[in-house]
Amino acid sequence: MNTESWQVKATLLLVSSLTIMSMITISASLPDMTIAFSELSNGPALVKLSLSFPALFIAIIAVVAGLVIDRFGRLKLLGIALVFYAIGGSSGYWLDNLYLILAGRALLGICVGITMTIVITLVADYYQGKSRQKFAGLQIAVMSIGGIVFVTLGGFLADFNWRIPFLLYFFSIMVLPATYLYLKEPKESILSQRSDVVIKSPPIIWLVFFNMMLMWIMFFIIPVQIPFYLKTIGVETNALIGIAIASTTLFSAISSFSFSSIKDKLSFQQIFGIGYLLMGFGFASIALGNSYSMVMVGMLLSGLGMGLMIPNANVWIMHLAPPEIRGKEMGRLTTFWFMGQFISPIVLLPFLNTFSHSQLFFLLACVLVVLSIGFFGTHFWSSKSKKNNLVSQRF
């Protein structure tokens, strides 16, 4: 198997794109969907919940999926997950019961938790060193671009009928044949049956996990609250609001493409420091600018920062996780990733009872700058420790 072939890389990227489309493809359908289920007493709330509902089940299932693929192999679950992805994702087109649609969204989340864990683990299995850095950056960039494509296409189709965007989830069936043709099971992927060997990752891996969750808690405030914030400063055109949110994804893709070159020069800690600093400046621009142009500057900076940090976290986990438990660790990474998205509104929205949108973004900007300083300080401390160790070894 030639892992450098375009067929293998394209298949991995196509499976990766299923993750981003699972959440946002039906965004434009929500207003008309709310009207369709307005007779239900809790209809509007449940419709809004349908957008983020998959994230909860992604977070729940990913760790289990990681353990399973370590034991039985990477690819045995993938085909099944892609089929049920289409079934659960398209539920809104076929079903008239909102609760059953939510059940379909839960099934979609379970399938994404499986496919996401498998594809990240396969990237770690197939690639090493520079090749891994390049592909991890490319993976996040393509996922970001895919997000723009799917949300735009979903908006276009929703103008005809709110149900039609749900059919886009059949894209997983189109990807299915390529997974059988081009992806192969890594020989070393099955967990050793020896019970006398306990294999663990370095403790620092938990710092990366929690940091991944924190990144998404902070970043997910943008799609959740920027539309409302723009309304408060006089931006009434929905198209401009959509452009602002989509631009964050675009700038994220740009910096992800550059990740490998940046990683050649900087440590993991330094990249996190830069990423948080860019996001901090971006949130400060949003908070203090009070204009659409300054919000766009904030979107640019925030997107650039997040686009660096996601592949940075992925590659760091790939570097830290032993091959024997790589699936489990990638499952944990996926869990913390989507748990951050799910709990972001739960954690941050209560602050709006005390602070205005501008004040909240400024408060978060301060937190982001503190996190940046913390990672730069960690890099300085670890570099100093390495130098001291080298000096002591010489003498």
Side-chain angles (χ1 to χ4, degrees), residues 59-82:
I60 291 171
I61 201 65
V63 171
V64 178
L67 292 170
V68 171
I69 66 175
D70 276 337
R71 179 67 63 176
F72 300 106
R74 316 300 195 213
L75 299 177
K76 292 181 180 179
L77 274 179
L78 184 57
I80 298 171
L82 291 176

Side-chain angles (χ1 to χ4, degrees), residues 262-273:
I262 295 172
K263 182 63 188 73
D264 286 340
K265 301 176 178 65
L266 301 175
S267 68
F268 291 114
Q269 295 96 326
Q270 285 175 306
I271 292 176
F272 275 131

Side-chain angles (χ1 to χ4, degrees), residues 337-351:
W337 180 323
F338 286 94
M339 187 57 69
Q341 292 187 10
F342 183 76
I343 69 174
S344 178
I346 299 172
V347 172
L348 296 181
L349 293 190
F351 285 95

Side-chain angles (χ1 to χ4, degrees), residues 125-245:
D125 290 332
Y126 289 169
Y127 305 103
Q128 302 292 327
K130 181 72 172 180
S131 296
R132 180 184 285 175
Q133 289 177 195
K134 285 184 176 180
F135 194 87
L138 178 63
Q139 182 185 30
I140 300 303
V142 170
M143 288 172 66
S144 300
I145 294 172
I148 297 173
V149 172
F150 284 119
V151 75
T152 303
L153 187 56
F156 174 77
L157 294 175
D159 284 336
F160 294 95
N161 188 290
W162 66 266
R163 293 183 181 273
I164 297 179
F166 284 89
L167 293 178
L168 291 174
Y169 292 105
F170 276 102
F171 182 66
S172 66
I173 300 299
M174 298 173 63
V175 175
L176 182 60
T179 64
Y180 284 101
L181 288 172
Y182 303 118
L183 300 184
K184 304 299 179 184
E185 188 71 46
K187 292 180 181 180
E188 70 277 8
S189 67
I190 307 301
L191 182 65
S192 171
Q193 299 297 316
R194 290 177 58 188
S195 58
D196 59 327
V197 178
V198 178
I199 300 172
K200 293 183 178 181
S201 300
I204 195 175
I205 200 170
W206 287 98
L207 170 65
V208 190
F209 288 145
F210 282 107
N211 187 62
M212 174 64 88
M213 182 172 67
L214 187 59
M215 284 159 45
W216 279 109
I217 290 174
M218 295 289 188
F219 186 75
F220 217 62
I221 196 69
I222 289 177
V224 173
Q225 285 304 315
I226 281 296
F228 299 97
Y229 175 68
L230 287 174
K231 294 284 187 180
T232 65
I233 63 173
V235 179
E236 298 293 338
T237 307
N238 288 330
L240 290 176
I241 295 174
I243 290 171
I245 296 174

